[in-house]
Amino acid sequence: MARESGRDAPNGNNFNTSRRRFLGSSGLAAIGAVIGGATPLSRNGGGIPQAHAQAAPAASPPAKGPQYLKYPGKHEGLVVLGEKPLVAETPESLLDDDTTPIEKFYIRNNGQIPEEAKDPDAWKITIDGEVNNKLEITLGELKSKYRAVTRRMVLECGGNGRAGFSPPARGNQWNNGGAGCAEWTGVPLADLLKKAGLKPSAKYTAHYAADLHLSGDPNKPSLSRGVRLEKAMDPNTMIVWAMNGKPLPNIHGGPVRLVVPGWSGSASQKWLTRITIRDREHDGPGMTEFSYRTPIKPMVPGGKADPANFRILESMPVRSIITNPANGAKFAAGTKELKLRGASWAGDLTVKQVDISTDFGASWQRATLEKPKNKYDWQRWTATLKLPSDGYFEIWARATDSKGAMQPHQAGFWNPQGYGGNAMHRIAVLVG
Ligand SMILES: Nc1nc2c(c(=O)[nH]1)N[C@H]1C(S)=C(S)[C@@H](COP(=O)(O)O)O[C@H]1N2
Ligand SMILES: [Mo]
């Protein structure tokens, strides 16, 4: 599908015309030095951090430094994965806050970024389709007539971890930084759907927004995803207007967006204008063929895919990241102990356990895992590592979800657009 590949082209193709607009100059040498190549997994090397590597194996692609984001209000350590549309990820070491600050939150667009709304409270949202009463409500009414709630919840791109696939999958090459955890304030979508009154035929949502398709064609949505009614009625699925207590920034879908926690971020429509209730699975851009769909029967990596063998991606898989130290960190000779910090989450589930290894997975040590603040919050973890000597160490982290599924060593179950890549996070550190 031509449009699919256009929208989700490998990042190499996205660095074209106006890269100047979003790319920082090299003023970030300090951060660059700390995170090394910013690509912890080497494609051909079986998941080896490149941070302290002396020479790349002959088969490796030439090393290319990360391109840093320059965008008002955003941290200059974010790494640009694509420019048209603008996509930027947060290096794992910048996800060290309990609540991800807005400036560090990843950015994922499929189309053009709309102009900032002049009068946010006049913004209109329509709920129609398989409902008894079509609902038209302004953001001002939503704020004044419904009971607002605040929850800290993870938003994660469906393609997070894609860079771990071999052969490379199509789309933005996320490491683990297509995720963040913010405090969202808004109203449960279920409250509006109850108000509109669902018909017995109601099965699925279809989300529409104000962002223009990259082509500029006003009749083509840039992205229109939806979810099963059960997920739409979950009290944690919200229409939100505030992020970390501040009005939702335009770049994150302000003045109003959906947050569908635990599922692919693409369901969390930004610049939300309309939700149509359907009597069947939605078929908008982002719902068909290989978009946000994974194989029913596992397929040959890089092989020919049959769309009939694919189903929609729903809950995201378990993942953990080491947020401190950063990949490539150096410590003084004689350092005997390292304090580690990280985060973990598991889509619709919770995380039961996080383990750490410094011997390439031969032995594992349990991390101390915190409880989530509320459902869909991430779980922070800490661990103290004893080092046997100076030298080069890799630190691996893996999480296990509440149903016992553990992160694999390698991104598996290959699919053309690279969903479900949740290989364990690995960093390299040098002592002495
Ligand atoms: N209207 C609209 N909503 C959208 C998108 C988009 O391109 N347009 N991108 C989706 C995807 S793929 C993700 S991962 C999240 C990213 O949200 P963020 O940019 O606030 O981090 O928004 C989702 N909502
Ligand atoms: Mo996404």
Side-chain angles (χ1 to χ4, degrees):
M1 203 197 269
R3 177 131 58 84
E4 293 304 318
S5 52
R7 200 179 70 232
D8 231 357
N11 57 359
N13 295 339
N14 289 333
F15 287 96
N16 39 35
T17 46
S18 60
R19 66 189 298 169
R20 283 263 114 69
R21 265 175 66 212
F22 300 120
L23 301 184
S25 59
S26 57
L28 292 148
I31 295 168
V34 177
I35 63 172
T39 306
L41 301 191
S42 126
R43 177 101 52 208
N44 302 314
I48 300 166
Q50 293 174 331
H52 297 288
Q54 296 301 300
S60 290
K64 185 168 144 257
Q67 305 288 337
Y68 294 104
L69 181 71
K70 260 231 178 315
Y71 194 89
K74 300 304 281 190
H75 194 282
E76 295 192 337
L78 297 199
V79 175
V80 176
L81 300 184
E83 238 218 310
K84 277 188 159 198
L86 179 63
V87 179
E89 87 164 313
T90 316
E92 292 90 345
S93 60
L94 285 185
L95 291 171
D96 198 35
D97 306 89
D98 289 352
T99 303
T100 310
I102 289 171
E103 60 157 9
K104 295 180 185 168
F105 210 93
Y106 81 100
I107 296 171
R108 166 65 163 125
N109 297 298
N110 288 265
Q112 301 183 24
I113 301 164
E115 292 281 309
E116 193 162 330
K118 299 261 173 336
D119 183 2
D121 284 348
W123 186 276
K124 278 207 192 82
I125 300 165
T126 302
I127 296 188
D128 59 9
E130 306 297 311
V131 293
N132 297 321
N133 311 293
K134 176 174 164 180
L135 204 67
E136 274 188 310
I137 189 168
T138 63
L139 177 54
E141 289 166 343
L142 189 66
K143 288 177 183 168
S144 62
K145 294 190 177 155
Y146 289 79
R147 204 174 66 84
V149 290
T150 297
R151 296 198 172 97
R152 194 169 76 183
M153 302 193 289
V154 172
L155 185 72
E156 179 174 27
C157 184
N160 204 21
R162 184 178 288 140
F165 281 103
S166 179
R170 195 169 73 197
N172 300 293
Q173 297 297 303
W174 302 101
N175 290 300
N176 291 297
C181 189
E183 301 260 7
W184 307 102
T185 301
V187 169
L189 173 60
D191 293 357
L192 274 80
L193 297 182
K194 283 178 204 151
K195 178 88 189 193
L198 292 164
K199 289 188 176 166
S201 50
K203 287 218 168 64
Y204 223 89
T205 61
H207 313 152
Y208 296 94
D211 52 331
L212 274 181
H213 189 268
L214 278 186
S215 67
D217 181 345
N219 300 314
K220 270 192 196 170
S222 70
L223 176 81
S224 175
R225 302 214 52 233
V227 296
R228 280 191 281 128
L229 201 62
E230 187 190 359
K231 183 68 175 175
M233 295 300 285
D234 183 306
N236 299 290
T237 294
M238 292 163 62
I239 297 186
V240 308
W241 59 79
M243 184 177 184
N244 295 347
K246 298 192 188 73
L248 185 64
N250 185 54
I251 191 66
H252 292 298
V256 64
R257 77 176 299 169
L258 273 171
V259 172
V260 181
W263 287 24
S264 168
S266 52
S268 295
Q269 199 85 22
K270 308 200 276 189
W271 310 291
L272 181 70
T273 54
R274 184 157 64 98
I275 297 176
T276 300
I277 306 301
R278 301 194 58 168
D279 62 359
R280 68 197 69 177
E281 187 172 293
H282 183 41
D283 55 5
M287 294 297 291
T288 56
E289 204 170 61
F290 310 123
S291 262
Y292 303 105
R293 299 177 87 86
T294 51
I296 296 162
K297 288 179 293 194
M299 62 174 288
V300 176
K304 190 165 161 30
D306 171 10
N309 183 38
F310 282 67
R311 71 166 150 240
I312 203 80
L313 168 69
E314 296 192 327
S315 177
M316 293 293 291
V318 62
R319 189 183 308 276
S320 58
I321 52 173
I322 300 162
T323 61
N324 189 72
N327 185 31
K330 291 186 172 141
F331 297 91
T335 302
K336 285 277 171 287
E337 204 179 86
L338 289 184
K339 298 266 187 219
L340 305 186
R341 287 193 299 272
S344 56
W345 61 96
D348 279 337
L349 304 176
T350 54
V351 175
K352 180 167 77 178
Q353 189 176 324
V354 172
D355 302 289
I356 305 299
S357 178
T358 47
D359 54 11
F360 305 89
S363 67
W364 293 89
Q365 167 191 333
R366 249 218 223 191
T368 304
L369 186 61
E370 282 174 30
K371 289 205 161 44
K373 250 177 122 168
N374 48 256
K375 199 171 175 200
Y376 294 109
D377 185 19
W378 62 14
Q379 289 167 256
R380 306 295 311 187
W381 57 263
T382 54
T384 303
L385 271 190
K386 298 255 187 281
L387 296 172
S389 66
D390 287 1
Y392 170 89
F393 291 96
E394 289 188 14
I395 305 172
W396 295 10
R398 69 170 192 209
T400 306
D401 72 26
S402 48
K403 284 192 174 161
M406 186 185 280
Q407 288 180 265
H409 286 76
Q410 296 288 356
F413 299 103
W414 193 93
N415 57 95
Q417 290 192 206
Y419 303 112
N422 68 333
M424 53 185 74
H425 185 207
R426 306 168 183 197
I427 63 165
V429 299
L430 195 56
V431 181

